[in-house]
Amino acid sequence: MKRRFFVGLLAAAALCLPVQAARPANFQVDGEFLGASAYVEEGTTYVPLRELLESLGDWSVWWDGSAGCARAASEDASLSADPDGNLLTVNGTGYPCVIDVVEGQTYVPLRLTAEALGADVRWDPWLGGAAVTSPGAAHDAMDYYWLSRIIHAESGGEVLEGQIAVGNVVLNRVASGDFPDSVPEVIFDDEHGVQFEPVANGTVLNEPTELSREAARRALSGENTAGDALYFFAPALSQGSWIDSSRTYRQTIGCHRFYL
């Protein structure tokens, strides 16, 4: 049985870029950060099979010593990963691929495995890893991940209505032709300077509370407490002189003033 050991610091990597040696990468499933347990080698992202499957749903995962492979089963699917035969089998269909055992964990190709199970995989350059949206998920994993974090960083101390409003501003910008076309692109937009202070100070990377996650889910589902607002600021923390003088005031929710 092949065994490979790797140690490294967090590093950004790309699913499509060839590399010469394994390097660590992050990954998240449906907005849940699963750490830097993934790695990229020769352009393929590998993740622990158990960690991936348990994040996708109700799977049982075990090692079949007699067959020398990992096996997994859910209510309506089955999977095996054979490191000696380099074969992943999902619901009876075989996929030749590299499968490794790293410090007792079975690692499988992320995109191949997730897509065989009906999930969607996208590379997230701001995460430095892959974003996986499970089959039937209510929201895109990348959008939900970053929206919940900017809501928490900007308004984590506010009531739910105020947190939803911050999410509304981000989504209103996505819908506007004057801003980038996706949630993370809006949040990390710096064409005319950093748009959100948490991006500058790094707090956008902090883990959101459950209330902020709820606000993100509601905003992504269409709940709106900010109308068409495209801007906001907290007078207690910022003068907001440009917004005050050039944008139309709409309302105040908690400590934030919202503008069209």
Side-chain angles (χ1 to χ4, degrees), residues 12-23 40-45 123:
L15 289 169
C16 58
L17 296 179
V19 293
Q20 299 302 314
R23 50 178 175 162
V40 176
E41 187 169 30
E42 295 184 352
T44 299
T45 300
W123 183 257

Side-chain angles (χ1 to χ4, degrees), residues 9-95:
L9 300 174
L10 297 180
L15 289 169
C16 58
L17 296 179
V19 293
Q20 299 302 314
R23 50 178 175 162
N26 300 315
F27 82 108
Q28 59 103 339
V29 177
D30 292 337
E32 189 68 32
F33 181 67
L34 297 175
S37 54
Y39 66 92
V40 176
E41 187 169 30
E42 295 184 352
T44 299
T45 300
Y46 295 87
V47 298
L49 176 64
R50 180 183 299 276
E51 195 169 11
L52 173 63
L53 293 182
E54 290 181 349
S55 67
L56 286 174
D58 187 17
W59 283 82
S60 296
V61 184
W62 67 96
W63 180 258
D64 184 342
S66 61
C69 68
R71 296 193 186 277
S74 67
E75 185 176 339
D76 56 2
S78 63
L79 178 151
S80 66
D82 178 3
D84 287 334
N86 279 329
L87 183 68
L88 175 74
T89 303
V90 178
N91 295 329
T93 301
Y95 301 89

Side-chain angles (χ1 to χ4, degrees), residues 153-234:
E154 285 282 9
S155 60
E158 296 294 300
V159 298
L160 181 60
E161 179 188 6
Q163 295 197 39
I164 292 172
V166 168
N168 294 152
V169 167
V170 173
L171 295 177
N172 288 344
R173 289 189 176 195
V174 172
S176 168
D178 296 329
F179 296 92
D181 298 328
S182 74
V183 168
E185 286 176 320
V186 162
I187 292 170
F188 291 96
D189 180 23
D190 62 358
E191 183 176 355
H192 302 293
V194 174
Q195 298 293 300
F196 297 96
E197 181 62 25
V199 171
N201 61 31
T203 56
V204 70
L205 302 176
N206 293 347
E207 187 73 14
T209 63
E210 181 52 41
L211 188 64
S212 295
R213 292 177 184 273
E214 177 67 15
R217 290 191 291 267
R218 292 196 183 199
L220 287 167
S221 296
E223 188 168 336
N224 189 314
T225 62
D228 296 329
L230 292 169
Y231 299 87
F232 65 87
F233 78 96

